[in-house]
Amino acid sequence: MPCSGRLATVDELRSSPFACLDVPTDPAQAVAQTAQLEEGLNMASAVIFAAMHASGQCDCTLASWATEYLKDLAIKMAVLQGYCPCVRANLTDAAKQLWLEWLSNELANIRMGKLELCQGETGSEFPALGWAEQTVTIANTVRIIQNRINRLGS
């Protein structure tokens, strides 16, 4: 996915639970509002793309869940950071602050590669387990070396 463009549409933003926007009945106001929302989504998308670029995630195929995740992230960022003019009235200042902290953490996780958006990748925080054969006798040491030679085919 190239890191350009807009991660969400104005219609998707308007239908979000975070936004409380109705399309104005006056055509001139509707056009002005749409332009403002598009600009807000562009600004939010640019911030997300910067985080993706920092971790090398701009030139990959996104995982199946990542497109919707990024769309949701862009909408929340556009609304909560004031790029778009209206937030649901029932969202308190404390709730807005919690969402902004969450957004900041998600961007940091993307930037540091802890949250991997690319298909087939696991991210740096993926739990992994490994083990190695160990020995305390010469006979077992020879067996371990022979097993490794057999595995490598040499």
Side-chain angles (χ1 to χ4, degrees):
M1 170 188 177
C3 286
S4 63
R6 193 177 305 127
L7 290 167
T9 66
V10 170
D11 289 337
E12 290 166 334
L13 185 144
R14 284 186 174 126
S15 64
S16 166
F18 276 80
C20 60
L21 297 171
D22 294 319
V23 180
T25 54
D26 177 33
Q29 288 179 340
V31 168
Q33 183 192 72
T34 298
Q36 182 179 11
L37 297 177
E38 287 175 343
E39 182 61 24
L41 288 168
N42 287 341
M43 293 172 73
S45 296
V47 172
I48 295 167
F49 291 148
M52 290 173 64
H53 182 71
S55 60
Q57 298 185 68
C58 284
D59 298 321
C60 69
T61 301
L62 291 177
S64 58
W65 57 270
T67 303
E68 288 300 314
Y69 169 79
L70 291 172
K71 181 189 311 180
D72 183 57
L73 204 62
I75 289 170
K76 286 175 180 165
M77 183 178 298
V79 172
L80 292 171
Q81 290 193 330
Y83 298 142
C84 298
C86 186
V87 177
R88 289 256 184 238
N90 62 354
L91 200 57
T92 65
D93 287 341
K96 289 177 197 174
Q97 184 61 38
L98 286 173
W99 279 111
L100 287 170
E101 288 174 15
W102 177 83
L103 283 169
S104 179
N105 288 336
E106 294 301 293
L107 289 171
N109 287 337
I110 292 170
R111 187 181 72 252
M112 293 184 290
K114 291 181 179 181
L115 179 58
E116 184 66 59
L117 303 170
C118 297
Q119 182 176 334
E121 301 296 330
T122 57
S124 66
E125 297 293 304
F126 187 79
L129 176 66
W131 59 86
E133 292 179 279
Q134 296 182 7
T135 182
V136 292
T137 67
I138 293 179
N140 282 337
T141 302
V142 171
R143 184 185 53 81
I144 290 170
I145 292 170
Q146 187 60 46
N147 286 342
R148 179 165 171 81
I149 291 169
N150 290 340
R151 278 193 304 271
L152 296 176
S154 312

